Amino acid sequence: MIYVTKQMSFSASHRIYNPSLSDEENFRLFNQCANKNGHGHNFTIEVTVKGSINPLTGFVINLKELKDIMQEHLISLLDHSNLNLDIEFFKHNIPTSENIAIFAWNILEDKIKNAKLYKIKIAESNSSYVEYFGNSD
Ligand code: NI
């Protein structure tokens, strides 16, 4: 089994806030991430697929195809968005990196052909990131 990863980036804003809690509880939990008007990040997303090598191409997956799938179905939604307001999923799920990873997985899983989605990695900064391996893990 060989693992292949494509990295892309997007810029988006979010507010980390749980509407079922009071403002006071939100600020205690999330500090300035709960500020009313949100804040932005330059996010990095890495999509890792696994599969075997196609002897015709020498590839597990054509990275141009993977990039195009990510761009068309994911980056185009996320880039320059306000995650809380623009994306239905984040009206019901706090737009943390954890939930962005699940959102990305759910969109990409069925779109990737000839290889299996293995991992989604979301980074808000150079020093922290989240990895999601799907429901099975
Ligand atoms: Ni943030």
Side-chain angles (χ1 to χ4, degrees):
M1 197 69 72
I2 299 195
Y3 297 77
V4 176
T5 299
K6 180 67 190 171
Q7 181 188 88
M8 297 182 77
S9 59
F10 61 93
S11 300
S13 65
H14 66 177
R15 181 189 191 198
I16 306 301
Y17 184 89
N18 184 335
S20 69
L21 301 175
S22 67
D23 279 357
E24 204 173 60
E25 286 171 304
N26 271 288
F27 283 106
R28 190 174 53 76
L29 281 173
F30 303 124
N31 302 301
Q32 70 268 34
C33 293
N35 283 352
K36 185 165 180 258
N37 294 322
H39 62 276
H41 296 280
N42 293 316
F43 289 93
T44 300
I45 177 170
E46 288 181 20
V47 173
T48 301
V49 302
K50 66 178 180 179
S52 47
I53 293 175
N54 177 341
L56 194 67
T57 60
F59 294 151
V60 170
I61 190 169
N62 183 322
L63 280 168
K64 168 75 164 66
E65 281 174 27
L66 181 54
K67 180 185 174 187
D68 289 347
I69 289 168
M70 289 168 68
Q71 178 62 45
E72 181 181 348
H73 298 286
L74 192 63
I75 303 295
S76 64
L77 298 178
L78 297 172
D79 195 29
H80 290 77
S81 74
N82 178 317
L83 297 172
N84 303 68
L85 299 179
D86 295 333
I87 296 183
E88 191 62 32
F89 182 81
F90 298 119
K91 293 177 180 169
H92 317 289
N93 298 279
I94 302 171
T96 56
S97 290
E98 288 87 334
N99 280 325
I100 296 170
I102 290 170
F103 175 75
W105 182 283
N106 291 344
I107 285 184
L108 294 177
E109 188 178 17
D110 294 339
K111 307 277 186 320
I112 295 166
K113 310 296 180 198
N114 306 318
K116 192 169 171 4
L117 184 55
Y118 174 69
K119 181 177 84 175
I120 304 276
K121 176 175 169 180
I122 303 286
E124 284 188 7
S125 71
N126 290 330
S127 61
S128 56
Y129 58 83
V130 164
E131 295 175 297
Y132 182 55
F133 296 83
N135 270 334
S136 56
D137 289 304

